Amino acid sequence: MKTNYPGPGFGVRCALFMSALSALAILPAILPASRASSAMDAQERGGRTKTTPTPTPKPATPRQSEANPRRPKPSRPTGPHAEIMPPSGGAWIRLIWVPPGTFTMGSDTGEPAEKPAHRVTISEGFYIGHYEVTQAEWQAVMGNNPSNFKDCGGNCPVEQVSWDDAQKFIQRLNQTNDGYVYRLPTEAEWEYACRAGTTGDYAGNLSEMAWYADNSGNRTNPVGQKRPNAFGLYDMHGDVWEWCEDWYHETYAGAPTDGSAWLSGGKHEYRVLRGGSWGRNAALLRSALRSWGPQNHSSNHLGLRVVAVLRTQ
């Protein structure tokens, strides 16, 4: 019978192979001690000794968690938006940078409360909510959900929120000391952000931009489903009314022209509301339209949007 004999040297090769396997098996125990052991290994293999500097190990990056949430580094904005983490770590509030500028606030052809139309200069830009504050964001910060319409996975705007409730939410955000100061928009900031450079009644085609009486299905709808305005902001018209910082005044006579909150004169117990809601007709969603409510009043038409500015101290 012919035998397929492997030929001369086979046993030697097997021995070398088994020796290599044995070396690999003990390698993990040898390697960590020092670079001297690496040089010795090279000599044992008959190779040329080469000393390689030991690299300085990089510190491990901690994993993001609720105890250590990722936060933006406070700085002048360099991009179109910033993402801010509420203190619970459970949701993000996305904020859009609105640049400074000058615009005409109010309308001389609208309601008496919208007159006189006047020029306002926003000298400092600010961040404002990409969307109205959602139920999920409110839940993450406050630990509850006061809303009436809760069947949209937390993506509908929070409602049944009074001005006083909004202040408690903002206080929680400010307790994070993350480099930003959170607040409600001033009425001037709100209209400037809503108009986004436009001068007409709306910032675009209303049916494409807003949930209101004609298309809402008699309820709130998830944020961000309609078209944004030119600043990239969603639902400035419709879905829920949005609280502003200002006291309500029956006209703009004597109103600030620098974009600040109007907190003198007027009706101290009433705060400004803007934007209209899911149950209102088109006339009440105009960019210049003003409404008001007692600061302790809540309903399923009332929500909020937050502003953030860099903390200076």
Side-chain angles (χ1 to χ4, degrees):
M1 179 183 294
K2 184 177 180 181
T3 302
N4 291 321
Y5 183 69
F10 176 76
V12 175
R13 289 198 301 272
C14 285
L16 290 174
F17 179 72
M18 294 304 294
S19 296
L21 287 179
S22 298
L24 288 173
I26 65 171
L27 190 58
I30 297 174
L31 282 177
S34 67
R35 278 297 169 187
S37 64
S38 296
M40 185 169 59
D41 289 345
Q43 289 173 340
E44 289 175 350
R45 291 192 303 269
R48 182 177 299 174
T49 301
K50 181 179 180 181
T51 302
T52 304
T54 304
T56 302
K58 294 182 180 180
T61 302
R63 296 182 64 183
Q64 182 178 334
S65 66
E66 293 188 5
N68 184 27
R70 179 169 63 90
R71 299 191 183 282
K73 181 180 179 182
S75 61
R76 289 293 175 184
T78 57
H81 70 271
E83 291 180 330
I84 309 298
M85 177 77 86
S88 72
W92 289 89
I93 296 179
R94 189 176 185 183
L95 302 175
I96 295 290
W97 174 249
V98 173
T102 299
F103 77 111
T104 298
M105 184 174 182
S107 171
D108 285 329
T109 60
E111 301 291 333
E114 302 165 25
K115 301 174 182 178
H118 55 290
R119 298 289 283 174
V120 172
T121 296
I122 308 290
S123 59
E124 296 287 339
F126 55 93
Y127 285 113
I128 190 169
H130 197 195
Y131 313 107
E132 294 160 328
V133 173
T134 66
Q135 295 175 26
E137 290 164 348
W138 184 277
Q139 178 79 44
V141 175
M142 301 300 290
N144 61 61
N145 182 3
S147 305
N148 179 60
F149 303 109
K150 295 182 179 178
D151 57 345
C152 56
N155 292 323
C156 285
V158 68
E159 20 91 3
Q160 300 198 140
V161 171
S162 68
W163 187 92
D164 290 336
D165 294 332
Q167 295 302 312
K168 294 175 183 176
F169 177 83
I170 287 167
Q171 183 181 23
R172 293 277 184 90
L173 292 179
N174 283 323
Q175 287 172 353
T176 64
N177 293 318
D178 65 354
Y180 294 89
V181 175
Y182 299 90
R183 57 176 172 79
L184 291 175
T186 70
E187 186 176 13
E189 287 171 340
W190 189 96
E191 186 170 328
Y192 176 66
C194 176
R195 290 186 177 279
T198 63
T199 58
D201 284 341
Y202 311 103
N205 183 295
L206 188 63
S207 64
E208 295 179 354
M209 298 184 75
W211 295 111
Y212 65 116
D214 286 4
N215 64 8
S216 69
N218 203 35
R219 55 158 300 148
T220 59
N221 286 269
V223 301
Q225 303 299 301
K226 293 289 189 175
R227 288 183 179 273
N229 68 13
F231 283 155
L233 302 171
Y234 289 86
D235 305 309
M236 295 296 291
H237 301 291
D239 226 358
V240 291
W241 290 97
E242 300 175 17
W243 289 107
C244 293
E245 196 66 31
D246 309 51
W247 290 332
Y248 181 73
H249 297 72
E250 293 183 347
T251 73
Y252 280 134
T257 59
D258 61 356
S260 61
W262 196 0
L263 298 175
S264 62
K267 299 182 177 181
H268 298 190
E269 69 273 27
Y270 299 124
R271 298 285 178 165
V272 172
L273 286 161
R274 287 301 207 110
S277 76
W278 55 267
R280 299 296 184 255
N281 60 35
L284 296 179
L285 272 69
R286 293 180 298 105
S287 299
L289 192 281
R290 306 172 70 216
S291 188
W292 52 270
Q295 66 181 52
N296 63 355
H297 176 66
S298 62
S299 82
N300 58 15
H301 291 264
L302 305 183
L304 75 155
R305 188 183 303 256
V306 297
V307 158
V309 295
L310 287 171
R311 192 181 297 274
T312 56
Q313 296 180 350

